[in-house]
Amino acid sequence: MPLREGYHKLDDSLVLESNERSKSLDETIEDLKKISTMDSFWNACNSVQGISILSMPLVTLFGGYWFIIGIIAVAVISNHTSKILIECLYEEFPGKGRIRVRNTFADIGDAFWPKYGRHMVDVTKFLELIFMATIYPIACGEAIYYTFPFLPIGKQIWILIFGLAMVPNVFLNSVKLLSKISMVTISFAFATFAIVVAYCLGQSASWKSKDLLVFDPLRFPLSLGVVLAGYSSQIYLTVLEGNMRHPEKFNSVINFAYLAMTVLKIAVGIFGYLTFTDSVSDMISNNLPQGAYRTIVNTVVTVLSFMGYSLPMFAVFDMTERSVPRCLTARFLNHDGSRPGMACLVLLRLTLTAITILMAILVPHFTLFAAFIGSGTGTAIAVIFPCIFYLKIFYWQLKWYQVIPNVFIVCFGVLMSACGMISTGRELFITLKQDSDY
């Protein structure tokens, strides 16, 4: 009997050791699937850069030195809200430490307001993404229109052409392909910004620092909206942090990414404005000399915009397809009832794509559309939501000196959103009226 008991104990210990090894192997494999700290940095840069960086010289025209102060303030606030948003994913448990109990922005919204918070976040995210997708056909249309101004084709026709060329995105289902598209997009983006900055530096002899002594109080809130449109990266950060091999380094990654992209945005804004001053265009690439230089850069911008359309639209498709089954009968769903059937899915995606093309044609102004996004959904996602979620979820744990800054940021966000929407609406009315006069 003692011998048999010894065998049983030996078997139990071997099984336990085998399970531990299996568990360790699974964890290792899962860990290898996650991204490195350097990859996390590049992905964070991609989420912060935004194609709206091409409008930085124009918004500098509205604020001058105040533009520098404004962009630094927005960057600091967005950096802070990115970190507290990730804090909201975790809870502290006695004896177990800090554990991730939520996975998405919508989960945090649900913790903030159990009945409606998730829907509030999802609707805002949907609008933000579909508005952001609309920018890309506008950018393509503007880039080609100013590259070939001698062709008898208007800007809106170019927008329609590129919008129709983006229709094949309705068949995009591969996340791996989307990832490759994103990496190529990053490369094209940095190539564009590097060429523009290099050209402007070559014209530095003509710069005058007094040109920065400008301030337009009616359009400065609009410029902050454009800036914020490029900093509303919070949509992607919960996924980014969840896929990091070393999530404890998230704050450092965000700090370096925000620092790098803020320096780049200020450089593009200041250098571009000092080079072209009052004649600066909606997109700085359109100010480059007519000929090979502008053709090359605007071709790169077109490819960048064309490929950049896929990321926000893929997210829009995914959100819609997960939500719509509850509104459809079984005959319109796939075999397991989790998604629309193929015919319904294609029709749904075509409708969403058509909405972005239609909005781009109706408002063919890159900067104004970016300002509209930043002042509306961008402010909610990047400034207001993270702070109010954080204050509600951790209210009993926070000190007064932690509460006051977040309350101030919420008030600042509401004020900036209101002023930005009024400024953008006014400018949009004037611009569209001028367009109709022509």
Side-chain angles (χ1 to χ4, degrees):
M1 184 67 69
L3 184 60
R4 187 173 297 174
E5 286 178 0
Y7 278 129
H8 281 308
K9 288 180 180 179
L10 180 61
D11 287 343
D12 290 343
S13 66
L14 288 172
V15 169
L16 183 62
E17 185 179 352
S18 175
N19 288 339
E20 287 177 350
R21 285 179 179 174
S22 177
K23 184 179 178 182
S24 176
L25 181 61
D26 289 342
E27 288 175 348
T28 302
I29 292 172
E30 191 64 31
D31 191 53
L32 288 172
K33 291 179 181 178
K34 296 190 174 183
I35 58 177
S36 66
T37 302
M38 184 55 68
D39 286 337
S40 303
F41 169 75
W42 287 115
N43 277 283
C45 286
N46 189 35
S47 70
V48 174
Q49 68 173 339
I51 195 170
S52 59
I53 191 173
L54 294 172
S55 287
M56 291 298 107
L58 179 62
V59 299
T60 306
L61 173 64
F62 305 151
Y65 286 111
W66 284 99
F67 158 76
I68 302 174
I69 296 171
I71 195 171
I72 291 173
V74 169
V76 169
I77 289 172
S78 185
N79 179 285
H80 167 73
T81 57
S82 298
K83 293 173 184 176
I84 63 173
L85 183 71
I86 298 304
E87 281 294 314
C88 292
L89 297 173
Y90 292 84
E91 294 280 358
E92 195 77 29
F93 292 91
K96 295 183 179 180
R98 189 166 168 264
I99 298 176
R100 200 178 206 260
V101 295
R102 304 176 188 96
N103 291 315
T104 66
F105 205 146
D107 290 341
I108 299 170
D110 192 50
F112 166 75
W113 192 3
K115 196 171 182 180
Y116 301 106
R118 181 178 295 275
H119 302 303
M120 180 177 72
V121 171
D122 281 340
V123 169
T124 309
K125 279 177 60 180
F126 175 84
L127 292 174
E128 169 80 2
L129 288 166
I130 206 162
F131 288 150
M132 191 61 68
T134 302
I135 278 186
Y136 292 102
I138 297 174
C140 287
E142 285 206 12
I144 294 300
Y145 175 74
Y146 283 101
T147 303
F148 305 107
F150 49 85
L151 293 178
I153 302 176
K155 187 195 301 184
Q156 288 163 304
I157 300 299
W158 281 120
I159 292 172
L160 176 61
I161 291 170
F162 280 102
L164 293 175
M166 291 170 177
V167 167
N169 275 283
V170 301
F171 301 107
L172 182 62
N173 285 311
S174 170
V175 177
K176 187 175 289 187
L177 176 60
L178 185 68
S179 178
K180 290 179 180 178
I181 290 173
S182 294
M183 290 305 297
V184 174
T185 302
I186 295 171
S187 302
F188 274 98
F190 279 104
T192 303
F193 306 147
I195 293 170
V196 170
V197 169
Y199 176 82
C200 292
L201 286 173
Q203 308 297 313
S204 59
S206 65
W207 292 357
K208 297 175 183 177
S209 59
K210 67 178 183 179
D211 287 336
L212 289 171
L213 296 171
V214 291
F215 183 74
D216 186 339
L218 294 177
R219 293 193 287 183
F220 183 65
L222 180 153
S223 71
L224 290 181
V226 177
V227 170
L228 199 49
Y231 279 106
S232 54
S233 61
Q234 285 74 3
I235 289 179
Y236 310 105
L237 295 184
T238 55
V239 177
L240 175 64
E241 192 266 354
N243 284 281
M244 286 179 65
R245 200 171 297 161
H246 302 287
E248 70 278 2
K249 295 182 179 179
F250 175 82
N251 285 359
S252 297
V253 167
I254 286 296
N255 287 340
F256 283 114
Y258 268 73
L259 177 63
M261 297 316 301
T262 301
V263 169
L264 178 60
K265 289 180 182 185
I266 291 174
V268 172
I270 298 299
F271 297 168
Y273 171 67
L274 289 175
T275 302
F276 301 106
T277 58
D278 292 345
S279 62
V280 71
S281 181
D282 244 15
M283 291 165 51
I284 185 62
S285 58
N286 295 332
N287 281 110
L288 298 175
Q290 186 69 44
Y293 207 93
R294 186 191 294 185
T295 302
I296 292 170
V297 174
N298 269 353
T299 300
V300 175
V301 169
T302 303
V303 175
L304 163 64
S305 304
F306 188 80
M307 300 184 77
Y309 181 83
S310 300
L311 180 60
M313 283 310 292
F314 187 84
V316 167
F317 293 155
D318 183 63
M319 288 179 67
T320 309
E321 289 158 19
R322 282 190 286 107
S323 302
V324 83
R326 69 190 71 165
C327 305
L328 299 175
T329 57
R331 61 180 295 188
F332 295 109
L333 301 177
N334 62 3
H335 63 282
D336 62 0
S338 63
R339 299 263 177 167
M342 181 54 68
C344 187
L345 182 143
V346 171
L347 180 61
L348 181 65
R349 291 188 172 195
L350 280 171
T351 302
L352 292 168
T353 303
I355 289 171
T356 63
I357 297 170
L358 181 61
M359 286 194 296
I361 292 170
L362 291 175
V363 189
H365 299 282
F366 182 81
T367 300
L368 289 178
F369 213 98
F372 173 76
I373 296 168
S375 300
T377 54
T379 304
I381 285 171
V383 179
I384 299 172
F385 284 179
C387 288
I388 61 174
F389 292 174
Y390 181 72
L391 289 170
K392 169 71 184 300
I393 293 171
F394 297 110
Y395 180 76
W396 299 108
Q397 303 173 34
L398 299 176
K399 307 294 183 183
W400 66 267
Y401 53 81
Q402 294 173 302
V403 172
I404 290 177
N406 287 290
V407 171
F408 172 80
I409 290 171
V410 172
C411 294
F412 172 77
V414 171
L415 179 64
M416 188 170 68
S417 179
C419 293
M421 292 298 285
I422 293 170
S423 177
T424 304
R426 172 185 171 275
E427 198 66 24
L428 193 58
F429 175 78
I430 294 171
T431 305
L432 292 179
K433 190 174 184 300
Q434 290 173 346
D435 289 348
S436 65
D437 290 341
Y438 287 113

